[in-house]
């Protein structure tokens, strides 16, 4: 997740770009964790790595401000679960659904034909 700043084509003049990366692996993680954070060149590198690894990026400057205060590798505090849940929902909407082990894969649907 990043915010726009100096050198990124947007934001306020003189303000460095910031980025915070989150990881959430239930049931191993009780809550999302901050796995990387930084400003300026470090933020640019975090964003570059996310893009290279096809990790979705959401730009929420207010949430980046809050998350940047969370210690590295610490769980996100319960007070901001709601905001983080919105980010997770954004990420999950971008991913194609995966079949669960208990449900068989769906057969492809037949294309409808006009006049049939």
């Amino acid at each position: 997740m990043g915010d726009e700043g100096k050198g990124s084509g947007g934001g306020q003049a003189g303000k460095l770009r910031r980025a915070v990366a989150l990881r959430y692996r239930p049931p191993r993680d009780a809550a999302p964790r901050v796995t990387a954070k930084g400003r300026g060149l470090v933020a640019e590198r975090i964003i570059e790595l996310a893009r290279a690894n096809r990790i979705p990026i959401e730009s929420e400057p207010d949430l980046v401000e809050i998350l940047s205060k969370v210690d590295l590798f610490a769980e996100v505090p319960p007070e901001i679960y709601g905001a983080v849940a919105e980010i997770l929902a954004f990420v999950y909407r971008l991913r194609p659904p995966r079949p669960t082990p208990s449900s068989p894969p769906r057969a492809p649907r037949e294309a409808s034909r006009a006049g049939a």
Side-chain angles (χ1 to χ4, degrees):
M1 174 179 343
D3 68 356
E4 298 300 318
K6 185 177 178 180
S8 63
Q12 298 172 335
K15 203 169 184 189
L16 293 175
R17 189 172 203 183
R18 293 176 301 169
V20 176
L22 299 175
R23 180 192 69 207
Y24 183 48
R25 297 182 299 186
R28 182 178 181 177
D29 295 327
R33 291 183 181 275
V34 172
T35 57
K37 62 181 182 173
R39 294 176 31 185
L41 293 175
V42 173
E44 296 293 338
R45 183 69 176 140
I46 291 168
I47 293 167
E48 178 184 313
L49 286 169
R51 286 186 177 131
N53 289 284
R54 297 175 143 175
I55 296 171
I57 300 170
E58 174 75 352
S59 181
E60 289 288 337
D62 293 337
L63 188 53
V64 170
E65 174 73 28
I66 294 166
L67 289 171
S68 66
K69 295 175 184 172
V70 176
D71 290 335
L72 197 56
F73 303 113
E75 290 182 350
V76 169
E79 298 82 33
I80 58 173
Y81 280 178
V84 172
E86 289 179 31
I87 300 301
L88 292 173
F90 163 79
V91 170
Y92 291 135
R93 280 192 303 268
L94 295 177
R95 294 186 177 175
R98 290 190 269 179
T100 60
S102 61
S103 64
R106 292 184 190 175
R109 286 195 258 174
E110 243 182 80
S112 60
R113 291 182 247 169

